[in-house]
Amino acid sequence: EAKGGCAIDPKKTALVCIEYQNEFVTEGGKLHPAVKDVMAQTNMLANTVACCEAVRSSGAKVFHTPIILKADGSDNPNKGLGILSGCYKDQLFAEGTWNAKICEAMTPKPGDVTVTGKKGLDAFPGSDLEKLLKEHGMETVALCG
């Protein structure tokens, strides 16, 4: 269904914001120490907030795509290997915790869309992202996170 070469219509454009959660972007998050210096150097969070504001004002939509995992690992597709193993072992992005919540600066605004079901590194498998993009008539997708 790709339509490369078409003009970009803001009303058919989505900015998909991946994992702007306290675990990463807020002091006190377990992964924050690993990313805070780069976040500061690039002004990442403030730039993303400004980008979201520009996207909304153009008529495009912001999609928030958090990863949220059950503490018991029952919904973790690979709790025994790699990065997802660390998520299980260290209780990262655990459902119902402050760490798994979208950070305050990126709190969804009216008209934004929140994706559910992201359980791995890719935002599409197992989530409702594709369904939501189609339901909202999105043809152009930009990613950040």
Side-chain angles (χ1 to χ4, degrees):
E1 297 178 46
K3 299 181 179 184
C6 296
I8 295 175
D9 178 353
K11 296 202 180 331
K12 296 179 180 181
T13 300
L15 176 63
V16 177
C17 303
I18 301 171
E19 298 175 8
Y20 281 85
Q21 292 161 268
N22 290 324
E23 196 76 87
F24 271 126
V25 302
T26 307
E27 191 70 42
K30 294 174 188 170
L31 298 174
H32 186 69
V35 298
K36 68 180 182 179
D37 291 342
V38 171
M39 285 180 56
Q41 290 168 0
T42 63
N43 203 24
M44 185 275 296
L45 192 53
N47 286 336
T48 303
V49 169
C51 184
C52 288
E53 290 170 0
V55 162
R56 290 181 192 104
S57 68
S58 77
K61 281 206 172 289
V62 175
F63 285 68
H64 300 273
T65 312
I67 181 172
I68 299 174
L69 300 165
K70 293 186 183 300
D72 68 4
S74 62
D75 63 347
N76 184 324
N78 207 352
K79 68 181 177 187
L81 184 66
I83 292 171
L84 291 175
S85 171
C87 288
Y88 173 61
K89 180 178 76 72
D90 297 332
Q91 294 292 287
L92 305 176
F93 307 104
E95 183 177 48
T97 66
W98 170 88
N99 299 65
K101 291 184 190 286
I102 293 173
C103 72
E104 185 177 338
M106 289 291 289
T107 298
K109 305 278 190 249
D112 288 0
V113 179
T114 301
V115 174
T116 60
K118 182 180 184 305
K119 304 294 179 187
L121 304 181
D122 189 321
F124 284 93
S127 80
D128 58 359
L129 177 56
E130 182 177 8
K131 177 178 138 302
L132 291 170
L133 289 168
K134 287 179 177 181
E135 283 177 3
H136 289 275
M138 300 295 108
E139 294 181 358
T140 302
V141 176
L143 303 170
C144 63

